[in-house]
């Protein structure tokens, strides 16, 4: 089995995301920072994003996404990757969409979320064995939020982390490679939203995070507070210098991101003062780890 701990090899980071645009709203500043420092960074995009709705009012009359949403999002993804200075690979699955209604309708036949795990994970195992990342980042068991494609992206990332180093598994997908560390992204960290909320309030500005924070703090009828998040932050990457690159990458996803919306409520300068990090949880490591960390490659350098 190939190892990933040689000090002579260039460091490589692989992030696994459900749709084009997810990479720019979760961990983008981290990727841009590492890419600028010489780390080789790759995004694996599981689906084509074809079932995404137009979220930007300025794009509602644009003909291309109405005719070919997957094609439009492919162009957006190319631009975002260029902004961040990273590589990107499509895994080739069809967007499952986000079901709505009560009861929820069935997911579309053939979509990513309905694939058997080994079929869904095989392209990612192949990519891991080809790219040979030292670190993999994806979502937690809830997908960051419970979109079926995000949950499946979590499953295939965990499967690939454990399976890619076993030469007996996934035959025909390349020589085995065992990544050293697996992280879950914590883009929805309550601590971060709380810090940004109070920074806006202290500046006399309206916060769009009040409702989100209230839902986290709300007690049930018996006075119980909601459970703490499933995973706590172990690793904070100081990447504030790359918040502008993150925002530019987000704006590249013109069909999905409103440039006047939620993601841009706090200026990069204010964010650097309030919360200059992106947050992660180390969930598995094949090398010794000392927590807390400030570097996804701690122990590998």
């Amino acid at each position: 089995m190939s190892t990933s701990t040689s000090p002579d090899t260039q460091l490589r980071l692989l992030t696994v995301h459900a749709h084009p645009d997810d990479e720019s709203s979760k961990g983008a500043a981290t990727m841009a920072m590492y890419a600028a420092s010489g780390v080789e960074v790759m995004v694996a995009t599981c689906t084509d994003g074809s079932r995404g709705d137009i979220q930007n009012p300025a794009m509602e009359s644009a003909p291309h996404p109405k005719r070919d949403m997957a094609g439009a999002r492919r162009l957006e993804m190319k631009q975002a990757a260029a902004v961040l200075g990273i590589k990107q690979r499509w895994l080739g699955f069809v967007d499952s969409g986000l079901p709505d209604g009560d009861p929820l309708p069935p997911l579309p036949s053939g979509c990513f979320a309905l694939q058997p795990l080994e079929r869904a994970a095989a392209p990612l195992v192949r990519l891991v064995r080809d790219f040979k990342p030292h670190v993999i980042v994806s979502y937690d068991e809830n997908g960051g939020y419970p979109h079926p494609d995000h949950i499946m992206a979590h499953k295939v990332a965990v499967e690939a982390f454990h399976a890619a180093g076993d030469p007996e598994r996934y035959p025909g997908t390349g020589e085995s490679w065992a990544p050293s560390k697996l992280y879950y992204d914590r883009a929805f960290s309550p601590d971060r939203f709380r810090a940004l909320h109070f920074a806006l309030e202290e500046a006399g500005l309206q916060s769009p995070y009040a409702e989100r924070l209230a839902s986290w703090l709300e007690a049930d009828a018996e006075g119980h507070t909601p459970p703490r998040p499933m995973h706590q932050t172990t690793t904070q990457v100081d990447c504030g210098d790359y918040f502008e690159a993150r925002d530019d990458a987000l704006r590249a996803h013109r069909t999905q991101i409103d440039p006047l919306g939620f993601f841009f409520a706090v200026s990069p300068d204010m964010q650097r003062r309030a919360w200059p990090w992106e947050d992660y949880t180390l969930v598995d490591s094949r090398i010794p780890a000392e927590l807390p960390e400030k570097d996804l490659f701690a122990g590998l350098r």
Side-chain angles (χ1 to χ4, degrees), residues 101-116:
D102 186 14
L104 291 174
L107 293 173
S109 176
C111 70
F112 177 54
L114 294 182
Q115 299 298 315

Side-chain angles (χ1 to χ4, degrees), residues 28 62 64 100 116 120 124 140 173 180 210 224 253 272 275 301:
H64 188 182
D100 185 32
L124 185 59
D140 64 15
T173 59
S180 292
H224 302 127
H253 292 285
R272 277 187 280 269
W275 200 267
R301 296 187 185 276

